[in-house]
Amino acid sequence: MSTSEKLLSQYEGEFVPRFVESGFVVLSYFVSCIGAILTLELLNRRTSRHGLFNYLILVSSALSMGGISIWCMHFVGNRAITLGHDEPELRIDYSSGFSALSFFLPVIVLLAAFMALGANFKVSWYRLSCGGVLAGAAICGMHYMGNLSISNYHCVYDNVYVVGAALFAVFDSIVALSLFFVFRASWRNTWWKRVLSACVLAGAVSGMHWVAAAGTNYRLIRLNESSQLSQTHAIIVAICLSIAAALFIAGSVSYATWIMRRNRNRARQVILATAVFDQSGRILVNPDGLLPSEKITDTYVERTPGDTFSIAHPIFHWMFQVSRNWNSVSGMVDGMANHLAHLPRGIRDSKIRLIDDDGRPIENYDAIFRELFCVAAVGLADKLKEQLVNVGILWDEILATGIDALPQGLNHGIENALEEGIANHFTRAREGRIGRQQECGRGSLMFLVRRLENSHDEIRLEAAGFRFADIHQVCGIIGSGMHIKTKDLKGKLTNMAMSSGGNTVMEPGVHLGFFGVKAQVGSFGFDVIVKKGARNLLPTMPIPLERLEPWQMDIVRRFDRMSVPLLFQNLDALKLLSPREVLFASQLSDALQALRAWIDDPIFDESVLTSKVVQAPCRVQAGSNSTKSCAMIALYIMMPIHASADSPRCEFIPLNFFKVQQMVYKNSPHLTGFARYVHRELSPIVNSVPLATYQQCGKVLSRWHRSGFLHRLGRLNTKNYAVVEDSSTTSTKFRRNSSSQDSSRSRSSVKLWNQDPHDRQGLSNDTLPPKTVTHPQSSGLGGIMVSQEIQVDIRQIDDAVGGPTVPLKTASKMDRVTMVKAGSGFDFEMDYLPEEEDTHLGKPLGSAVAEREKVNEVITFVDELFAVCIDGL
């Protein structure tokens, strides 16, 4: 009798004895862990119930869990069950139909389970319970469906073990999913916690399998005639799927490592990130908890010891204004990208070379830096699937990244230089500081902030693969992942959320304000004290008046140049006069007392009142497109150079940046003038790329350029416009703006005198002189480029911007205004506007008013208060 006949006669209709090989048991659990890790890694990246990205994540996670963690584990685990004495004829044989069905059954059930779990980051125990029950059902269902595919045995189950296995699967699944989603909701879902949750989930699969296997007996029906094929095929398929999953996990680990390395490198670069907030103040992050970001450039090239990239820098001012009016560059971004693509690049890294062979910045460096900023903003808009105009506004701070705090002794180097009176000590300290910053890998991080106005935008962004999280949950992840070196990142992000709706402005009416300025240490600029958290506002207190009447103005003039203690005395004396004067004195005294208590700084009592009442931007009615101003009675003081903001409600910011903030409020008339300035500045550089390149690439700029935008812009006014001339000469010159010299821009002005007809010959309304086009001039004296010559009446300019900032009246010494140079970089921030004919410079009366057309020389209430402060010295 043959061996097969002996085995058949011995075991047919009987239970075949079994034992378990421990090696395959361990292997089956490892296979289940691989599937569970991949499943939770995929679920961790699910951000919404909507969107193709999230649908793919949902299906992939169900396939990973059902096909690898459960199905593969089952067949590898069954290989550990040895029947008889491991004779080939007694090995388990599977039918292909039920085996395939057992693969898809758990996948379908798990799809329902993961849909029941949802994508909400708030832990729902009801959902977790439903998801855990369905996951346990998928595990149990696959196990018994897989056993049903055994064709040569009839499986007999012990009901106690069946119930125990089901309870074990459901309970363990609920525990594993609870751990995962609780960690996920609290943003403590680090990789080892996901691995821990995956191990528990794999334990649910393996535990259920072996509890059920312990209560399963195998009654032989027939011998396995093709045992090597059936069981081997199942093992091969299971191992291949497990290897694919392991490779995917390894790829995810490699990608995460690459992201970490890239973030470390970006910590030494100039980066633009976006901070999008929903209506409840939660911040948008990617599944790793980081903010979407784009690199602007590797580093800002400092051309002088004082040329540091900060909020006082004119390039930042330009970016700040552009972000409030993206329409000014939206038509040029394709041309900017095309121009950047044709710049010289390094041989090794293919990066744009911003430094020439002599170690100097390349020509038009500032303009190229601005183009890089705009292109980075477009990249962020593409990531968010937004238009450029909706990408957000630039936040008013730059955060340092990638370095630890500099040695404290270095920070005091400048102060020691001033005390010692050594002229070159400051230079050495500054150079040493720059060198150490570069050694430490200092980077700069800027933010575009935006607040979503409706829930539809939130759903759309979540469907695109992003999440919204509470600031306190992710601030640590953002700080460490993006290597942000700030003491209070949570406070910074909260401030971004508050300012994401745009600049806060004062309410209409009359206000009492405090204008405190001080000279910057080691620089020629000035700082002004502002409200912390609303850095575009001076410390103010409202006075319950709609406007100031002439008799009230007369009272204010009586108090001119009075200190705060003297003001209180005179206001008390005023209360003995007529009832209306008593009321006004009481209102002014109450506002003064409230402002003193709010600032809570002894230096407040040293300030003096100015009789010059200025007009500041204020809030307008909802839906109105007009601008409105409120009256401000101001106290001013020139503070000591080492003064600090002792009040917790106040802080210092650069005065020139504070002026820029006064020009970018909603519906500001200065935004239109700035848009024209941007086109004059960048169009020559963007258009310097050969036209053939545009035709080959099919860039958007080609269509914009051929549409004659500049031509139509020039036709908006039928008058002729003034040409640009530097103040050091009286001859009229057409030239391109040298953007590389913007950091030290000179006082170029818009002139309105009648030019010599000889100078106008050969100039059409739409073109530059051939000489200018063929040989563009770059000048260190600055200036702006205009596309045509226009003559403008002074009063028409005032009408165009919504009313004069400087009253149109006969100029005199009393009307002198000291201008704060918003884009002057590191020059002195004061410049007296001419009030009468200057024969040396050729500036006629009123030319100062016309200079307001130039963006960096707009006159605001900041200039008026600064002039009063300087005159009071």
Side-chain angles (χ1 to χ4, degrees):
M1 182 180 292
S2 64
T3 304
S4 298
E5 292 175 347
K6 290 181 180 179
L7 292 174
L8 184 61
S9 61
Q10 180 180 359
Y11 293 114
E12 185 178 14
E14 302 292 334
F15 294 123
V16 178
R18 67 186 188 278
F19 65 92
V20 177
E21 297 182 20
S22 59
F24 280 104
V25 173
V26 174
L27 179 62
S28 67
Y29 178 75
F30 179 73
V31 168
S32 183
C33 278
I34 291 176
I37 291 173
L38 180 57
T39 299
L40 296 187
E41 186 64 31
L42 290 170
L43 286 178
N44 185 55
R45 301 197 170 273
R46 189 180 177 213
T47 57
S48 172
R49 301 170 65 93
H50 308 283
L52 178 61
F53 170 80
N54 290 287
Y55 294 150
L56 291 175
I57 289 291
L58 184 66
V59 173
S60 299
S61 58
L63 285 171
S64 174
M65 183 67 190
I68 299 174
S69 186
I70 300 176
W71 192 85
C72 291
M73 179 274 154
H74 174 84
F75 285 98
V76 174
N78 274 1
R79 180 63 184 86
I81 299 175
T82 302
L83 298 174
H85 297 285
D86 198 21
E87 294 87 353
E89 293 83 0
L90 295 180
R91 291 179 181 174
I92 297 174
D93 186 25
Y94 300 103
S95 64
S96 58
F98 279 105
S99 296
L101 184 61
S102 67
F103 180 90
F104 292 104
L105 175 66
V107 171
I108 295 173
V109 177
L110 285 169
L111 271 175
F114 294 153
M115 290 180 66
L117 289 170
N120 198 321
F121 288 85
K122 293 181 180 179
V123 178
S124 171
W125 296 108
Y126 171 76
R127 288 181 175 273
L128 283 174
S129 299
C130 291
V133 170
L134 288 174
I139 297 170
C140 293
M142 187 277 138
H143 177 84
Y144 291 108
M145 181 64 71
N147 283 353
L148 193 61
S149 68
I150 299 176
S151 59
N152 59 336
Y153 285 96
H154 175 67
C155 297
V156 179
Y157 304 108
D158 188 328
N159 292 334
V160 175
Y161 284 94
V162 171
V163 173
L167 292 176
F168 188 91
V170 171
F171 176 78
D172 215 5
S173 296
I174 293 176
V175 171
L177 292 175
S178 298
L179 286 174
F180 171 73
F181 281 100
V182 167
F183 289 147
R184 184 173 183 254
S186 61
W187 287 93
R188 299 188 183 96
N189 194 18
T190 53
W191 67 269
W192 66 268
K193 292 180 179 178
R194 288 197 297 274
V195 171
L196 175 63
S197 301
C199 290
V200 176
L201 187 59
V205 179
S206 296
M208 180 272 155
H209 180 90
W210 295 116
V211 170
T216 302
N217 292 302
Y218 297 89
R219 179 180 288 125
L220 182 65
I221 299 176
R222 61 176 180 82
L223 295 178
N224 184 1
E225 302 297 338
S226 57
S227 60
Q228 291 298 323
L229 294 177
S230 175
Q231 201 166 38
T232 300
H233 285 169
I235 294 296
I236 290 174
V237 172
I239 295 299
C240 288
L241 290 175
S242 301
I243 291 175
L247 291 175
F248 189 91
I249 294 173
S252 299
V253 172
S254 300
Y255 177 74
T257 303
W258 178 79
I259 290 294
M260 293 176 62
R261 187 182 302 113
R262 186 191 67 173
N263 289 337
R264 284 196 297 269
N265 293 333
R266 283 190 169 185
R268 299 188 292 268
Q269 299 169 343
V270 182
I271 300 297
L272 180 65
T274 180
V276 181
F277 300 90
D278 64 5
Q279 294 172 310
S280 60
R282 297 182 303 163
I283 190 171
L284 180 81
V285 293
N286 62 22
D288 296 321
L290 303 179
L291 299 177
S293 62
E294 287 286 332
K295 183 185 80 170
I296 297 178
T297 184
D298 287 332
T299 184
Y300 175 77
V301 181
E302 300 178 355
R303 287 154 292 187
T304 62
D307 185 20
T308 56
F309 185 64
S310 66
I311 63 173
H313 201 284
I315 292 183
F316 183 81
H317 298 171
W318 187 93
M319 297 173 179
F320 192 79
Q321 294 177 84
V322 161
S323 69
R324 266 67 179 175
N325 187 16
W326 285 115
N327 287 321
S328 62
V329 295
S330 59
M332 293 192 292
V333 289
D334 288 327
M336 292 178 183
N338 190 43
H339 175 252
L340 294 174
H342 287 80
L343 292 176
R345 294 178 178 269
I347 298 176
R348 295 182 179 179
D349 53 13
S350 298
K351 295 179 180 179
I352 297 176
R353 294 185 57 190
L354 298 179
I355 302 177
D356 60 21
D357 295 334
D358 297 328
R360 294 191 300 264
I362 62 175
E363 184 182 4
N364 296 321
Y365 173 78
D366 285 359
I368 292 171
F369 194 91
R370 291 164 180 162
E371 289 180 325
L372 290 169
F373 168 77
C374 294
V375 171
V378 172
L380 285 177
D382 291 340
K383 282 185 177 181
L384 301 179
K385 295 179 173 58
E386 285 282 7
Q387 298 294 324
L388 177 62
V389 294
N390 296 325
V391 75
I393 58 178
L394 191 63
W395 189 50
D396 56 5
E397 278 194 56
I398 301 176
L399 299 186
T401 57
I403 60 169
D404 295 322
L406 292 172
Q408 188 175 7
L410 185 60
N411 292 328
H412 295 296
I414 297 172
E415 289 80 353
N416 294 336
L418 294 175
E419 294 176 0
E420 297 171 9
I422 303 176
N424 61 352
H425 186 89
F426 161 71
T427 302
R428 293 197 304 268
R430 174 66 73 181
E431 291 175 350
R433 181 166 189 158
I434 292 173
R436 297 197 186 188
Q437 286 176 347
Q438 293 174 346
E439 290 173 5
C440 297
R442 182 185 187 276
S444 300
L445 179 61
M446 296 180 287
F447 297 88
L448 294 173
V449 298
R450 178 193 176 197
R451 180 177 291 275
L452 301 180
E453 298 178 355
N454 52 65
S455 58
H456 174 74
D457 290 334
E458 299 175 22
I459 296 174
R460 180 178 53 79
L461 288 170
E462 288 176 340
F466 296 98
R467 304 178 183 175
F468 285 95
D470 292 330
I471 291 175
H472 71 273
Q473 293 179 323
V474 295
C475 62
I477 300 174
I478 294 172
S480 60
M482 303 183 77
H483 300 274
I484 301 174
K485 303 301 179 182
T486 183
K487 296 180 180 179
D488 185 22
L489 181 58
K490 179 182 176 182
K492 302 288 187 185
L493 294 174
T494 303
N495 179 257
M496 289 183 205
M498 295 173 60
S499 62
S500 58
N503 283 356
T504 306
V505 295
M506 293 188 293
E507 297 294 332
V510 182
H511 297 261
L512 178 67
F514 177 74
F515 186 76
V517 296
K518 69 169 185 174
Q520 295 175 354
V521 177
S523 177
F524 297 118
F526 291 86
D527 289 334
V528 62
I529 194 166
V530 296
K531 288 184 177 180
K532 184 173 290 187
R535 287 180 285 270
N536 64 309
L537 297 180
L538 295 174
T540 57
M541 278 294 160
I543 301 175
L545 296 171
E546 293 184 4
R547 60 183 179 276
L548 287 175
E549 301 294 342
W551 64 269
Q552 293 169 327
M553 292 289 296
D554 292 337
I555 294 177
V556 172
R557 292 189 187 98
R558 298 183 202 172
F559 301 145
D560 188 34
R561 298 182 181 273
M562 286 189 182
S563 64
V564 172
L566 192 57
L567 270 175
F568 279 116
Q569 295 177 12
N570 282 268
L571 288 173
D572 290 337
L574 197 63
K575 294 178 181 180
L576 303 177
L577 302 178
S578 64
R580 66 176 188 177
E581 292 175 331
V582 170
L583 177 61
F584 179 64
S586 176
Q587 293 170 336
L588 189 57
S589 179
D590 292 344
L592 189 62
Q593 188 66 42
L595 185 59
R596 172 199 262 175
W598 190 90
I599 294 178
D600 192 23
D601 193 320
I603 203 169
F604 178 81
D605 289 340
E606 300 178 23
S607 61
V608 296
L609 186 77
T610 174
S611 61
K612 187 175 184 62
V613 178
V614 296
Q615 300 295 316
C618 69
R619 190 181 307 279
V620 297
Q621 294 181 352
S624 175
N625 293 326
S626 61
T627 59
K628 194 173 182 180
S629 61
C630 60
M632 183 191 297
I633 303 171
L635 297 158
Y636 68 91
I637 182 176
M638 179 64 72
M639 305 171 71
I641 192 171
H642 295 292
S644 60
D646 295 332
S647 172
R649 301 187 181 97
C650 300
E651 61 182 317
F652 283 102
I653 67 169
L655 181 61
N656 57 359
F657 178 54
F658 179 71
K659 175 181 175 177
V660 171
Q661 291 181 308
Q662 308 312 309
M663 301 187 294
V664 295
Y665 56 88
K666 186 177 180 180
N667 300 326
S668 170
H670 307 302
L671 295 177
T672 303
F674 178 75
R676 293 194 294 269
Y677 167 77
V678 169
H679 279 280
R680 294 188 191 119
E681 180 188 36
L682 294 183
S683 292
I685 299 173
V686 170
N687 295 340
S688 64
V689 179
L691 183 60
T693 304
Y694 284 98
Q695 294 172 345
Q696 293 170 2
C697 298
K699 294 294 185 179
V700 175
L701 180 61
S702 176
R703 298 191 296 270
W704 169 81
H705 185 69
R706 289 195 296 268
S707 65
F709 179 83
L710 286 177
H711 176 80
R712 295 196 304 273
L713 183 64
R715 295 294 185 182
L716 291 178
N717 193 330
T718 58
K719 305 273 185 185
N720 286 330
Y721 204 83
V723 299
V724 176
E725 183 193 29
D726 188 78
S727 59
S728 62
T729 180
T730 58
S731 61
T732 304
K733 297 179 182 179
F734 281 88
R735 52 184 168 82
R736 293 186 180 181
N737 180 29
S738 176
S739 298
S740 62
Q741 303 295 334
D742 282 358
S743 297
S744 55
R745 192 189 310 275
S746 66
R747 276 68 167 161
S748 55
S749 307
V750 178
K751 309 301 182 184
L752 293 173
W753 64 82
N754 294 326
Q755 290 139 28
D756 191 337
H758 176 73
D759 295 333
R760 301 181 183 177
Q761 292 179 359
L763 298 180
S764 67
N765 284 336
D766 302 311
T767 60
L768 294 177
K771 181 178 180 181
T772 304
V773 176
T774 307
H775 306 286
Q777 300 289 329
S778 296
S779 172
L781 298 176
I784 60 174
M785 192 207 78
V786 295
S787 58
Q788 57 182 214
E789 181 185 0
I790 304 173
Q791 293 177 343
V792 183
D793 182 77
I794 295 174
R795 295 184 182 274
Q796 288 180 349
I797 293 179
D798 292 332
D799 294 339
V801 297
T805 305
V806 179
L808 294 176
K809 59 183 179 180
T810 303
S812 65
K813 283 291 181 181
M814 297 299 296
D815 297 322
R816 238 176 196 201
V817 178
T818 302
M819 290 187 60
V820 177
K821 309 298 285 186
S824 59
F826 309 100
D827 293 336
F828 287 96
E829 294 194 14
M830 53 185 125
D831 188 28
Y832 283 105
L833 297 183
E835 73 285 346
E836 57 189 19
E837 179 75 30
D838 190 328
T839 57
H840 176 68
L841 296 179
K843 295 183 178 181
L845 181 64
S847 65
V849 180
E851 290 187 0
R852 290 162 43 206
E853 181 64 16
K854 191 162 185 286
V855 174
N856 289 337
E857 295 186 355
V858 175
I859 301 174
T860 67
F861 77 92
V862 182
D863 302 288
E864 300 179 48
L865 291 178
F866 186 64
V868 172
C869 197
I870 293 296
D871 290 340
L873 294 178

